[in-house]
Amino acid sequence: MMLQLAIGPICIFIFQIASLRGFFAAETGVLGVALIDGLFIAAAILGIATVMEKQNMRWGLRLFGAAVLFMFGLNLVLSLLNIRLLPSLSIADFGDTNHAFVYAILLTVSNPLTIIFWAGVFSTKVAEENMKREHIYVFGFGAWFAAVFFLTLVAFMGSLTREFISPFVLQVLNGFVGAAFIYFALKMVLQKNG
């Protein structure tokens, strides 16, 4: 559960969807994140992350992820001026839950460093505790469940704010989320290769 305390773009996205469209719309986003996180955790457990440890592959994936986050963030910031870069993926237009699900999948996949993170977590856990394969699976399920639980909690908290947020505050929230996405994208690119 401690791994979930780092607030990132996915957490901010889920909170925003919940505050704009309610708990159930945000929960479909959580399901999208859970699907990709589950695949990343399984891949990390199975050792696929070793391919991604190559420096050239890692840098290329980091650049791709940063570009996706930057475009989503810029789209949100520009939407304050009624300019749409990605009209079919605008957060403000989530009338049905399918959009939140797809958007959450795209945001989660756009951060390929997640699989490297999970590979590091699992390799450290195995090295420190000399875990057997079945225990690694249990630990992986626990990590996945903690992510789903935490994001569901974020969705619930965001949905509570829905009744109290004015349209102006929603615009400010969109600007904040867009700026946060741009920040995370720049941080991803400027982060030292390691």
Side-chain angles (χ1 to χ4, degrees):
M1 194 64 170
M2 293 299 292
L3 299 174
Q4 301 307 318
L5 294 180
I7 304 297
I10 301 297
C11 182
I12 293 169
F13 167 73
I14 295 298
F15 185 85
Q16 184 187 27
I17 290 300
S19 65
L20 289 172
R21 301 291 180 211
F23 176 77
F24 292 107
E27 199 59 21
T28 61
V30 171
L31 291 175
V33 172
L35 174 68
I36 301 304
D37 268 358
L39 292 174
F40 278 177
I41 289 170
I45 289 172
L46 296 173
I48 294 174
T50 57
V51 173
M52 299 178 81
E53 280 293 329
K54 295 180 180 175
Q55 287 294 24
N56 291 340
M57 178 67 85
R58 189 181 222 183
W59 175 247
L61 291 171
R62 182 182 292 171
L63 199 56
F64 170 75
V68 171
L69 275 178
F70 186 83
M71 287 300 293
F72 285 148
L74 189 59
N75 183 58
L76 283 172
V77 170
L78 291 177
S79 71
L80 297 174
L81 304 170
N82 290 325
I83 300 170
R84 303 270 184 211
L85 286 177
L86 307 168
S88 62
L89 292 176
S90 171
I91 288 179
D93 295 334
F94 284 134
D96 65 59
T97 56
N98 290 334
H99 288 118
F101 180 78
V102 170
Y103 197 93
I105 285 175
L106 290 173
L107 279 178
T108 307
V109 167
S110 76
N111 190 1
L113 296 177
T114 303
I115 194 169
I116 294 169
F117 165 77
W118 286 120
V121 167
F122 289 112
S123 62
T124 302
K125 205 71 168 143
V126 168
E128 285 178 355
E129 298 181 19
N130 214 7
M131 294 176 86
K132 294 181 180 175
R133 192 180 261 311
E134 356 13 287
H135 296 134
I136 294 170
Y137 292 132
V138 171
F139 179 73
F141 177 76
W144 175 83
F145 182 77
V148 172
F149 178 79
F150 178 77
L151 289 176
T152 297
L153 189 61
V154 168
F156 178 72
M157 290 174 10
S159 68
L160 293 178
T161 65
R162 187 174 183 201
E163 300 299 320
F164 307 106
I165 294 180
S166 69
F168 174 75
V169 173
L170 287 176
Q171 283 186 319
V172 171
L173 182 61
N174 270 348
F176 169 74
V177 171
F181 281 12
I182 291 169
Y183 166 77
F184 286 117
L186 292 175
K187 182 179 174 187
M188 193 181 289
V189 169
L190 298 176
Q191 193 175 34
K192 287 183 181 178
N193 277 337

